Amino acid sequence: MKKLVLVIAIALMAMASAFSTTDPPYAHYLLGYVDSATDFTVTILENVLPFDLEGSEVAYNSSDTIVRGLRVGTYTLISNSTGFSFYIAHTPLELVANSGSEDGGTRTRIDYRLYMILNESSQKFKSCTFDANASDPKNAGKKIEIGASDFSTAPDFSDFKVISIINNSIYVSLDEGSQASTETAVSALKAGNYESTIYFLLEGN
Amino acid sequence: MKRIAALLIVLSCVFLLSAGTKTDEKKITAVKRSSTVGDPALEVQIRFMDSDNAEFAANADIGLPLNARDADYTVFSWVLSGNAWRAVTVSFTFSPMYREYEADPSKYIPYVVTMTPSSSRIGNTVIPVNSKSKAETGITTDFDSSYVIKYGDSFSATGTPLSVGQSNQSASITYNMSVNSIISQNGDEISGSSYDHDVCNFWNRMGVAVVHLGITADGEVNGNVVDDGIYYANVVVNVYVD
């Protein structure tokens, strides 16, 4: 029985190997789809993590139209169907227990605004703060929902569109509702390491 | 020499399977520095990412492409972070790459691993490896506002690239955070000054491990065809703070 499982695993690896990322033999990819398809990938820029909660880069952003924050990742979204929905929601940044000295404050969590850039040149974006139901992003109260209608400039082939969003940026800035409350919250945080989970769900047809 | 952490990672083959509805989750991390001026707690941590930049835990398997051959493959990268103001050493010990259920050393697959420090950061400012250019613009400490400290970002590597055949091999990288000089607010360096705190601003030190398998394009090692199967190599990572 063990041997049978091994054989199946090898077969699945063979199917998946065409999409494996290797460095450096394959510098570019050419993707093609038969029938409708949607897909996404998210890359977190680990070289900026953990970021400094007191850094100016992640300070409260008072603008509703301009993104000011720390670039923490990128995402790629590809679809040749208009019938897709991409949901994103996240938890707050919460203190990891027994991390650091945990002195200097009373608060153990802080909210932030997550920005998903829809168009890098126009800086069109969608954003959201944390939601308690973030692990179910489709049904979260505060979430980002991205659909085909958000990309009006995509070529329209009568009944379907081809959407190709490659490595668009993901930003974060701390957000407790206002600049004053955010600054107060930051100064009241316990010292230590904080962690947040961002959930992604893509439904396509 | 103080041992901070010991982690075990197993290299092996993994596979992915896609479906109509796709989900994913990613973690982002942040740090609030200690507010105890002059004596913050010393912190050092290390995290590992796979070739897709997804973090994986100790004891997790990370994979090479199926039928990997005579080429370079990024196996994992690491982020060493903390506030220790002294030498911090990351050591890597790699085992021979053996076939599952196979005890014959002649069946091992030789490989070469290269560990390369890639980038660094202080606070939210990324600085190039071996450069003080950003730091020279003035990154102040919390400990004494009358000084600006230029952080050195030197490192020394021992044993890399590492050739692994039939026995364990080790390499280490020492990030010498204690290499620095102190200048006053007007930019004049203070000769012979000593600033010997245990900690400094929070920093990151990145690095990447690239493996090159000793398998020919025809799937042979030393003229012998490599048997089908799953091959493993273990790597033990230790972090030491002087």
Side-chain angles (χ1 to χ4, degrees):
Chain A
M1 188 62 188
K2 178 69 174 176
K3 190 67 174 178
L4 178 60
V5 173
L6 184 63
V7 172
I8 292 172
I10 291 173
L12 289 173
M13 283 188 289
M15 293 167 62
S17 63
F19 304 102
S20 297
T21 300
T22 56
D23 188 16
Y26 312 115
H28 303 283
Y29 292 95
L30 180 62
L31 300 178
Y33 292 105
V34 176
D35 207 350
S36 63
T38 57
D39 196 11
F40 79 95
T41 60
V42 176
T43 299
I44 297 298
L45 303 176
E46 294 290 345
N47 64 332
V48 304
L49 300 179
F51 63 82
D52 185 353
L53 286 165
E54 296 174 293
S56 59
E57 299 87 350
V58 294
Y60 177 78
N61 176 22
S62 59
S63 174
D64 294 329
T65 57
I66 300 173
V67 172
R68 294 190 182 95
L70 182 67
R71 187 169 181 262
V72 297
T74 62
Y75 74 101
T76 291
L77 176 63
I78 297 172
S79 177
N80 62 6
S81 166
T82 57
F84 75 90
S85 294
F86 188 30
Y87 303 97
I88 305 101
H90 67 87
T91 64
L93 283 158
E94 297 199 74
L95 180 69
V96 178
N98 302 315
S99 69
S101 59
E102 299 191 9
D103 65 357
T106 55
R107 292 180 59 112
T108 58
R109 78 178 196 181
I110 188 167
D111 196 5
Y112 68 92
R113 184 166 292 278
L114 176 74
Y115 304 88
M116 303 286 286
I117 301 295
L118 302 177
N119 185 311
E120 290 283 354
S121 59
S122 69
Q123 287 290 288
K124 179 183 177 183
F125 66 89
K126 288 190 171 183
S127 71
C128 71
T129 51
F130 99 90
D131 191 85
N133 197 28
S135 60
D136 181 9
K138 182 177 180 179
N139 296 309
K142 286 178 285 188
K143 62 178 179 287
I144 296 170
E145 181 176 356
I146 298 173
S149 61
D150 291 312
F151 306 101
S152 58
T153 58
D156 190 346
F157 298 103
S158 67
D159 60 346
F160 67 91
K161 296 180 178 180
V162 176
I163 295 168
S164 179
I165 305 301
I166 307 295
N167 291 335
N168 276 20
S169 298
I170 303 172
Y171 289 85
V172 299
S173 64
L174 301 179
D175 193 329
E176 283 286 332
S178 69
Q179 183 165 341
S181 59
T182 302
E183 291 173 354
T184 299
V186 171
S187 62
L189 288 173
K190 287 178 177 291
N193 300 317
Y194 287 74
E195 188 174 276
S196 166
T197 303
I198 307 171
Y199 295 90
F200 304 87
L201 168 65
L202 176 63
E203 287 186 342
N205 59 21
Chain B
M1 193 76 80
K2 181 179 179 183
R3 177 170 160 164
I4 294 293
L7 301 171
L8 174 66
I9 311 158
V10 180
L11 308 183
S12 69
C13 295
V14 295
F15 60 89
L16 302 171
L17 186 63
S18 60
T21 297
K22 183 176 179 180
T23 62
D24 196 3
E25 60 181 74
K26 301 288 186 183
K27 291 188 185 300
I28 62 171
T29 54
V31 63
K32 170 73 181 296
R33 286 174 283 144
S34 175
S35 59
T36 307
V37 176
D39 190 23
L42 184 145
E43 300 175 29
V44 173
Q45 58 179 278
I46 191 166
R47 296 177 292 128
F48 296 92
M49 271 68 61
D50 63 20
S51 58
D52 292 325
N53 238 6
E55 185 173 354
F56 61 88
N59 298 317
D61 290 352
I62 49 180
L64 299 174
L66 186 70
N67 292 327
R69 290 289 187 271
D70 183 19
D72 290 339
Y73 301 95
T74 298
V75 186
F76 63 85
S77 58
W78 67 87
V79 180
L80 179 71
S81 58
N83 63 359
W85 188 8
R86 56 185 85 179
V88 181
T89 298
V90 185
S91 74
F92 304 85
T93 299
F94 287 84
S95 80
M97 184 169 287
Y98 59 94
R99 182 170 176 249
E100 190 175 32
Y101 310 125
E102 174 64 69
D104 183 359
S106 67
K107 301 286 188 179
Y108 292 165
I109 296 175
Y111 62 99
V112 175
V113 187
T114 304
M115 272 72 69
T116 306
S118 55
S119 68
S120 303
R121 182 172 64 83
I122 293 175
N124 289 333
T125 303
V126 177
I127 57 177
V129 169
N130 269 347
S131 171
K132 295 180 180 179
S133 57
K134 286 285 185 182
E136 284 176 345
T137 64
I139 298 174
T140 58
T141 73
D142 287 345
F143 317 130
D144 190 333
S145 59
S146 63
Y147 293 118
V148 175
I149 296 179
K150 294 191 297 184
Y151 290 92
D153 188 33
S154 65
F155 66 87
S156 58
T158 303
T160 179
L162 196 61
S163 295
V164 185
Q166 297 193 351
S167 62
N168 289 353
Q169 298 293 327
S170 297
S172 64
I173 294 173
T174 297
Y175 298 94
N176 199 346
M177 289 303 300
S178 60
V179 174
N180 60 79
S181 57
I182 305 169
I183 56 176
S184 68
Q185 290 285 36
N186 64 13
D188 296 332
E189 191 153 347
I190 300 173
S191 176
S193 60
S194 175
Y195 198 80
D196 196 22
H197 284 297
D198 289 337
V199 300
C200 62
N201 281 358
F202 210 84
W203 45 257
N204 265 9
R205 296 289 179 263
M206 305 280 292
V208 62
V210 174
V211 67
H212 192 119
L213 299 180
I215 307 175
T216 66
D218 296 331
E220 295 182 347
V221 173
N222 296 326
N224 300 314
V225 175
V226 176
D227 294 333
D228 291 341
I230 299 178
Y231 288 77
Y232 294 93
N234 302 326
V235 53
V236 178
V237 181
N238 286 285
V239 179
Y240 301 97
V241 179
D242 282 345

